[in-house]
């Protein structure tokens, strides 16, 4: 691990993640100047090839480079903004369906909408087959053509194939928009989430029909407070809006704390997709991805597993969920051929309904794909995860805070009690005292996972860790820290949400969590590492990416399992870059 700054040498602004106190907005300019001063104290391996670390950082922080990336991010907000009057809003690389816009069944089509959408963009406008009052109650088979779900306000998308408004992406996008002075757009996105809860039953994975069966990690209370406090700094705080927002946050919270999102009798929650079978939104052929999964299970586990169903050659496929594959097991040794006695013949097989439930639930978690919940995270729906329950704790604490602001003293006491109970359950099931980290809990086998994952920093971000727990987690930074920042795990599964890849939102949560507990030098060092990776790659290819290899400090990825692209754009990386830059100390000392 790189040398730490001595305690007290850096003046740090305290960052409460619930944003109780309006902090000073620091400019990107100050943050990038800080990178130069930090370079000598934090020498990450391999920056800039043969160039010195200091020279590399100076290049990143030059006025020209600084202006260039600021201009790119500012322009990207416009490029990535979608609204009904833009034909690119309706494009979807993930399916072959003709562009279609769906309205909630109970809403009368606005008079100008058909002319705006159908005549201009040649997009068909249809109502959903029925109204939705509870998430997951609509039978998606009634929707003949996949399409975009109507939202009232413009929104910022991640980019590339992700051409819709996503759930947890939007929190980091919103924070970037707020820092860039685009509060109106950010507030419109929060209003869109209210609309989704009202008319589609929940905050959706994103506003496409094939996402109606699942949500994404709950950041709504954090978004609401970010908007309320931003408007407060501008002298425009709106208690009436906050009261309305409170009701929607409560509704969103309820879907996570009732069946089927309950994690057994732990008092905790789980990810769960209401749908069945393969998902349709995988780029290219979904069958190709699922064939790879089936082949993996056959090679590693054979037929004696709950996720692979072996069929007799003449067996009917009537009761099979999803496609059927002909799989071939590997030869016993490299010298044999497919016709040798040591090689098995091909088998007819299909993935089970239980596998597809786990696969879909993994996608609700946002961490698709990793091996965190078993191979291909097929056991996702069997776990009480650290990330989800930390976010629900924060939701409870945020609702306590909002209740206080609204004068709801009884509600505030109720939310305080619920947060205390969740914290107790998290300590019981998810905290590993011996290893000094938080781990997910399999409530079906009553065992705690041993899979080290960067979500161990979530409890610090939300403030539920004790000082001793935070000290232990900070002491385990070496398990995740690489030359370019934090890797998601220690397992090289060849999936994008595992080693060696690092992601912008995790750096925001981890660094803010570390600062919350007084580990500012650690947070500054990791921030510096990740920002210089983003900047160095930006200067080379003139774009910002979805993720980075934090071991090689490059945007070049080698992913086999799941999404293989490294999408450009990119919404939450742009937002996180602004957030992380604003939090670097103005005048660090070595």
């Amino acid at each position: 691990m790189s040398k730490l700054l001595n305690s007290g040498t850096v003046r740090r602004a305290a960052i409460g993640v619930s944003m109780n106190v309006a902090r000073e907005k620091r400019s990107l300019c100050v943050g990038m100047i800080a990178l130069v001063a930090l370079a000598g104290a934090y020498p990450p391996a391999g920056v800039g090839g043969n160039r010195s670390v200091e020279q590399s950082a100076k290049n990143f922080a030059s006025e020209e480079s600084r202006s260039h990336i600021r201009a790119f991010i500012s322009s990207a907000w416009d490029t990535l903004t979608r609204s009904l009057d833009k034909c690119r809003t309706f494009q979807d690389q993930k399916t072959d369906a003709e562009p279609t816009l769906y309205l909630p069944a109970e809403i009368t089509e606005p008079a100008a909408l058909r002319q705006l959408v159908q005549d201009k963009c040649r997009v068909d406008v249809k109502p959903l087959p029925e109204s939705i009052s509870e998430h997951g109650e609509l039978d998606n088979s009634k929707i003949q053509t996949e399409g975009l779900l109507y939202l009232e306000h413009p929104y910022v998308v991640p980019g590339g194939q992700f051409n819709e408004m996503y759930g947890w992406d939007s929190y980091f996008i919103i924070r970037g928009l707020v820092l860039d002075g685009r509060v109106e757009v950010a507030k419109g996105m929060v209003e869109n989430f209210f609309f989704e809860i009202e008319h589609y039953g929940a905050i959706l994975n994103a506003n496409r029909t094939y996402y109606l069966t699942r949500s994404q990690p709950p950041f709504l209370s954090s978004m609401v407070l970010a908007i309320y406090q931003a408007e407060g700094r501008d002298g425009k705080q709106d208690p009436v809006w906050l009261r309305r927002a409170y009701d929607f946050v409560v509704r969103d919270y309820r879907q996570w704390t009732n069946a089927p999102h309950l994690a057994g009798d732990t008092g905790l929650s789980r990810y769960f997709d209401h749908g069945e079978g393969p998902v349709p939104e995988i780029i290219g052929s979904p069958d190709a991805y699922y064939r790879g999964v089936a082949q993996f299970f056959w090679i590693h586990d054979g037929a004696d597993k709950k996720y692979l169903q072996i069929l007799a050659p003449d067996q009917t496929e009537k009761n099979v969920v999803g496609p059927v594959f002909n799989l071939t097991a590997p030869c016993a040794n490299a010298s044999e051929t497919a016709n040798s006695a040591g090689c098995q013949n091909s088998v007819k097989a299909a993935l089970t309904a239980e596998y597809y439930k786990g696969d879909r639930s993994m996608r609700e978690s946002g961490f698709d794909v990793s091996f965190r919940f078993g191979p291909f995270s097929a056991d996702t729906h069997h776990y009480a995860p650290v990330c989800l329950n930390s976010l629900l704790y924060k939701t409870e604490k945020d609702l306590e805070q909002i209740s206080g602001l609204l004068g709801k003293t009884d509600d505030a006491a109720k939310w305080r009690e619920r947060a205390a109970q969740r914290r107790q359950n998290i300590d019981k099931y998810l905290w590993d005292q011996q290893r000094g980290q938080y781990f997910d809990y399999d409530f079906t086998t009553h065992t705690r996972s041993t899979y080290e994952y960067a979500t161990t920093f979530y409890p610090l971000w939300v403030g539920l860790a004790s000082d001793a727990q935070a000290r232990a987690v900070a002491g385990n930074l070496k398990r995740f820290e690489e030359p370019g920042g934090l890797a998601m795990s220690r397992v090289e599964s060849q999936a994008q949400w595992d080693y060696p890849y690092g992601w912008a939102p995790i750096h925001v949560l981890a660094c803010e969590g570390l600062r919350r507990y007084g580990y500012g030098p650690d947070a500054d060092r990791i921030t510096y590492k990740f920002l210089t990776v983003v900047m160095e790659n930006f200067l080379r290819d003139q774009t910002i990416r979805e993720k980075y290899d934090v071991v090689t400090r490059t945007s070049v990825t080698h992913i086999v399992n799941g999404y293989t692209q490294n999408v450009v754009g990119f919404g939450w990386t742009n937002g996180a870059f602004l957030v992380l830059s604003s939090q670097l100390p103005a005048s660090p000392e070595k």
Side-chain angles (χ1 to χ4, degrees):
M1 187 182 292
S2 304
K3 179 181 177 183
L4 303 183
L5 291 178
N6 293 326
S7 298
T9 59
V10 178
R11 180 179 178 83
R12 300 182 299 274
I15 298 180
V17 177
S18 61
M19 304 295 183
N20 295 335
V21 179
R23 57 176 172 77
E24 176 184 0
K25 176 183 174 183
R26 299 182 181 183
S27 69
L28 175 61
C29 178
V30 171
M32 294 309 294
I33 290 173
L35 291 181
V36 180
L38 284 164
Y42 305 148
V47 178
N50 294 325
R51 297 174 297 171
S52 69
V53 174
E54 291 85 352
Q55 185 59 49
S56 179
K58 287 177 182 177
N59 288 341
F60 299 156
S62 71
E63 179 62 33
E64 181 180 1
S65 299
R66 193 165 61 246
S67 298
H68 195 181
I69 199 166
R70 290 177 68 181
F72 174 87
I73 292 174
S74 179
S75 175
W77 295 136
D78 298 324
T79 302
L80 297 172
T81 297
R82 301 290 180 263
S83 57
L84 295 175
D85 61 343
K86 297 177 180 178
C87 294
R88 63 187 176 188
T89 298
F90 308 98
Q91 297 170 0
D92 187 6
Q93 299 177 29
K94 300 185 291 301
T95 71
D96 296 327
E98 290 296 319
T100 304
L101 176 66
Y102 284 94
L103 293 169
E106 65 276 12
I107 286 184
T108 301
E109 182 181 319
L113 182 63
R114 186 167 295 272
Q115 180 179 3
L116 176 68
V117 173
Q118 192 170 48
D119 296 350
K120 178 182 178 182
C121 301
R122 297 185 178 180
V123 173
D124 198 9
V125 180
K126 298 180 179 180
L128 286 172
E130 57 192 51
S131 295
I132 302 171
S133 57
E134 297 290 336
H135 188 214
E137 70 179 8
L138 176 65
D139 180 357
N140 270 32
S141 67
K142 295 179 179 180
I143 300 173
Q144 299 301 312
T145 303
E146 303 289 5
L148 185 75
L149 294 168
Y150 172 84
L151 293 174
E152 294 181 305
H153 301 279
Y155 51 88
V156 176
V157 302
Q161 69 193 61
F162 306 111
N163 192 38
E164 43 275 323
M165 190 179 80
Y166 282 78
W168 75 312
D169 292 65
S170 292
Y171 171 64
F172 302 95
I173 289 170
I174 283 168
R175 289 193 59 185
L177 289 169
V178 167
L179 280 175
D180 228 7
R182 302 185 184 220
V183 178
E184 184 177 353
V185 177
K187 188 173 184 178
M189 293 176 68
V190 177
E191 287 288 342
N192 283 340
F193 286 126
F194 297 166
F195 186 91
E196 287 188 353
I197 293 170
E198 182 69 30
H199 297 287
Y200 305 131
I203 289 179
L204 302 178
N205 187 152
N207 58 313
R208 296 279 180 188
T209 52
Y210 46 75
Y211 290 139
L212 279 166
T213 60
R214 64 176 178 267
S215 186
Q216 270 201 327
F219 280 89
L220 182 60
S221 66
S222 300
M223 298 182 206
V224 165
L225 285 174
I227 297 300
Y228 183 72
Q229 289 159 2
E231 291 189 329
R233 289 190 290 272
D234 296 336
K236 301 176 182 178
Q237 229 163 35
D238 185 352
V240 175
W241 181 82
L242 186 65
R243 184 176 299 275
R244 178 168 161 267
Y246 173 85
D247 292 336
F248 281 109
V249 175
V250 172
R251 289 172 66 176
D252 180 57
Y253 170 84
R254 285 175 182 159
Q255 76 125 351
W256 292 103
T257 53
N258 286 282
H261 277 100
L262 298 179
D265 60 359
T266 62
L268 300 173
S269 296
R270 65 169 176 171
Y271 295 114
F272 186 89
D273 186 312
H274 294 274
E276 305 291 341
V279 299
E281 72 272 9
I282 298 175
I283 282 282
S285 170
D287 285 6
Y289 171 72
Y290 289 122
R291 175 182 291 279
V293 175
Q295 185 71 45
F296 179 95
F297 285 132
W298 174 238
I299 290 173
H300 291 275
D301 301 317
D304 189 27
K305 285 292 178 180
K306 58 189 173 184
Y307 293 136
L308 191 64
Q309 179 182 0
I310 305 302
L311 307 176
D314 59 349
Q315 183 175 344
T316 177
E317 300 175 7
K318 181 178 180 181
N319 297 321
V320 172
V321 177
V324 174
F325 309 107
N326 288 317
L327 307 177
T328 303
C331 298
N333 59 67
S335 66
E336 294 183 307
T337 67
N339 295 323
S340 302
C343 295
Q344 300 181 36
N345 295 324
S346 64
V347 297
K348 186 178 177 182
L351 294 164
T352 65
E354 180 72 0
Y355 163 76
Y356 286 118
K357 182 61 70 176
D359 175 69
R360 284 174 163 274
S361 300
M362 169 193 67
R363 298 170 195 280
E364 182 171 79
S365 78
F367 296 104
D368 48 329
V369 175
S370 81
F371 278 41
R372 170 187 175 192
F373 302 115
F376 299 93
S377 282
D379 284 331
T380 299
H381 55 314
H382 297 162
Y383 278 86
V386 173
C387 47
L388 174 57
N389 287 284
S390 296
L391 294 174
L392 290 174
Y393 172 86
K394 185 177 189 300
T395 299
E396 290 155 351
K397 296 299 291 183
D398 289 347
L399 285 168
E400 177 191 347
Q401 178 187 350
I402 297 171
S403 296
L405 291 170
L406 297 175
K408 297 173 175 283
T409 55
D410 290 344
D411 281 7
K414 175 188 70 176
W415 295 119
R416 184 163 53 250
E417 181 179 347
R418 289 192 180 183
Q421 182 60 58
R422 186 173 301 276
R423 181 178 186 177
Q424 182 178 331
N425 293 336
I426 288 173
D427 282 345
K428 178 179 179 180
Y429 292 105
L430 309 184
W431 173 246
D432 190 317
Q433 178 70 31
Q434 184 175 0
R435 302 187 68 181
Q437 294 183 52
Y438 291 89
F439 292 91
D440 308 308
Y441 181 80
D442 187 335
F443 62 88
T444 66
T445 62
H446 308 290
T447 55
R448 188 183 296 125
S449 173
T450 59
Y451 200 96
E452 293 177 288
Y453 210 65
T455 50
T456 192
F457 298 104
Y458 275 55
L460 278 64
W461 186 67
V462 306
L464 70 81
S466 68
D467 289 343
Q469 289 169 327
R471 183 165 56 250
V473 171
N476 275 304
L477 271 172
K478 60 184 178 292
R479 301 295 298 161
F480 301 94
E481 189 171 355
E482 298 292 344
L486 298 176
M488 288 303 304
S489 73
R490 303 307 308 164
V491 176
E492 192 166 8
S493 67
Q494 297 185 309
Q496 66 173 358
W497 281 101
D498 273 321
Y499 181 93
Y501 302 111
W503 294 72
I506 302 304
H507 281 81
V508 170
L509 302 182
C511 291
E512 290 187 345
L514 289 166
R515 286 193 177 94
R516 181 174 192 144
Y517 285 86
Y519 298 97
D522 287 324
D524 294 339
R525 182 184 68 254
I526 293 164
T527 296
Y528 163 74
K529 287 183 172 186
F530 187 70
L531 288 183
T532 55
V533 167
V534 176
M535 177 65 91
E536 184 175 87
N537 283 273
F538 171 77
L539 292 178
R540 182 173 59 247
D541 60 20
Q542 303 301 300
T543 193
I544 294 177
R545 299 276 180 170
E546 179 186 26
K547 54 187 171 285
Y548 295 87
D549 183 327
V550 293
V551 175
T552 62
R553 293 178 54 87
T554 179
S555 61
V556 177
T557 58
H558 303 280
I559 297 166
V560 176
N561 297 315
Y563 300 108
T564 58
Q565 298 181 7
N566 194 4
V567 180
V568 302
F570 189 80
W572 67 10
T573 313
N574 299 346
F577 189 93
L578 296 179
V579 171
L580 290 167
S581 298
S582 75
Q583 294 169 355
L584 281 170
S587 301
E589 301 174 10
K590 298 182 183 178

